[in-house]
Amino acid sequence: MTRTRLHPPLRYAYGTNGLADLRLGDALALLADLGYAGVGLTLDHMHLDPLAPGLAARTAKVGRALERYGLTVTVETGARYVLDPRRKHHPTLLDPEPEARAARRDLLLKAVRVAAELGAHAVHCFSGQLPPGTAPDEGWARLTDGIGTVLDKATAAGVPVAIEPEPGHLLADLAGFHRLRTALGSPEPLGLTLDIGHCQCLEPRAPADCVREAAPWLRHVQIEDMRRGVHTHLPFGEGEIDFPPVLAALREAEYRGLVTVELPRDSHAGPERAAASLDFLTTAEAKSAATPQEDAPC
């Protein structure tokens, strides 16, 4: 006898870095109306500014809005200029200056506190680019030290930290994630943000295979279209990714976190992109489930 294996449906979210022209309340209302399950909340000046006064009160207000709209959340820390108005994504945990590294670490610690208050399922982060003149081993040592400090607080708060392999960064791929994980002793709170477009861009395996390899450590997933060797986030259908196998792999892994659309360059068309993205993904997921999988005969 055979029996059909039923995998839970995926839970889609949309990143607020792709809705930068909307007030946060309007963005949350839009996503709820469209049928999204959650939101990827980037801490940035136009939404929940991590550097402005009254962060705790403003976080509580966001929490009430999330509850009102029935949205879950992941907290993202990839704002381009939130710490340095002139240098994108600076400073990082790799910076030669201790004070600069401390600024990034403090941002991540604030993100952990915000995530704990909001009941977020993860805090996203990245390594940053290796600074000129810095030896790779020194960069890895700084990253390990910085993430280790954040993990201590995240463990106490019960919030996983999900680091993202980013093209051009020191930690650029899945091999880099495993290097960091091993250096830290494989701590339970350290997980992975897997960006499906980045898999297409530079990983040696197909995106669906990357999902299967990364499944034990998945804490957050970002998704968009992309072309091989070109790190440009594209609306669905404008790149090269075959999405039904990717979504099938996520369902087979029984991934229960958010699958967050990541289109930061498309805020000018944010509401339209959000609507089209959800339609695309739900259609692709239906195709992925069209052929039921079966257990071995019993």
Side-chain angles (χ1 to χ4, degrees):
M1 163 176 92
T2 62
R3 62 180 183 274
T4 301
R5 295 178 61 191
L6 298 177
H7 300 296
L10 298 173
R11 301 164 63 234
Y12 296 110
Y14 201 90
T16 59
N17 61 0
L19 297 169
D21 295 316
L22 275 67
R23 298 177 182 88
L24 181 56
D26 292 337
L28 298 180
L30 168 73
L31 297 181
D33 287 347
L34 290 174
Y36 279 93
V39 58
L41 176 59
T42 297
L43 302 185
D44 207 350
H45 65 89
M46 78 290 288
H47 290 143
L48 187 56
D49 188 341
L51 303 185
L55 179 59
R58 290 183 288 111
T59 299
K61 181 178 179 181
V62 172
R64 292 191 292 272
L66 291 168
E67 184 176 0
R68 181 166 66 252
Y69 292 120
L71 297 170
T72 55
V73 62
T74 188
V75 173
E76 305 206 10
T77 61
R80 291 184 177 96
Y81 296 101
V82 69
L83 293 179
D84 187 329
R86 301 189 180 190
R87 296 188 303 163
K88 180 181 175 182
H89 291 157
H90 279 80
T92 74
L93 294 175
L94 310 181
D95 200 288
E97 298 298 327
E99 297 83 0
R101 296 198 300 274
R104 174 61 60 174
R105 185 176 63 248
D106 289 348
L107 174 65
L108 296 178
L109 293 175
K110 285 183 179 180
V112 167
R113 291 195 293 272
V114 168
E117 288 294 323
L118 297 180
H121 72 83
V123 167
H124 152 276
C125 63
F126 54 79
S127 69
Q129 296 179 337
L130 187 68
T134 300
D137 285 349
E138 177 61 25
W140 283 106
R142 293 172 187 167
L143 179 63
T144 302
D145 179 67
I147 292 295
T149 300
V150 175
L151 285 173
D152 289 341
K153 298 296 185 182
T155 300
V159 177
V161 174
I163 193 164
E164 178 187 7
E166 181 82 17
H169 284 206
L170 177 67
L171 198 161
D173 53 20
L174 288 173
F177 167 71
H178 290 300
R179 176 172 177 168
L180 176 66
R181 180 179 62 82
T182 301
L184 287 165
S186 302
E188 178 62 27
L190 179 64
L192 175 70
T193 292
L194 187 69
D195 188 302
I196 301 303
H198 295 174
C199 295
Q200 176 68 23
C201 180
L202 54 69
E203 293 286 352
R205 293 164 296 283
D209 291 332
C210 292
V211 170
R212 296 185 186 95
E213 177 188 330
W217 301 279
L218 282 183
R219 299 296 179 269
H220 185 43
V221 172
Q222 296 174 344
I223 195 165
E224 69 285 317
D225 218 338
M226 202 168 287
R227 301 189 182 100
R228 185 71 178 170
V230 182
H231 184 204
T232 300
H233 291 231
L234 299 172
F236 298 105
E238 296 186 12
E240 301 170 340
I241 299 176
D242 184 12
F243 283 96
V246 173
L247 302 179
L250 286 169
R251 291 187 63 167
E252 290 161 16
E254 298 189 351
Y255 170 70
R256 298 302 298 137
L258 294 175
V259 180
T260 302
V261 178
E262 188 79 1
L263 292 174
R265 301 183 182 183
D266 284 66
S267 282
H268 65 283
E272 293 83 2
R273 289 281 190 261
S277 295
L278 189 58
D279 286 345
F280 180 95
L281 290 169
T282 52
T283 298
E285 184 176 352
K287 290 180 180 178
S288 78
T291 304
Q293 297 194 354
E294 297 182 337
D295 291 333
C298 60

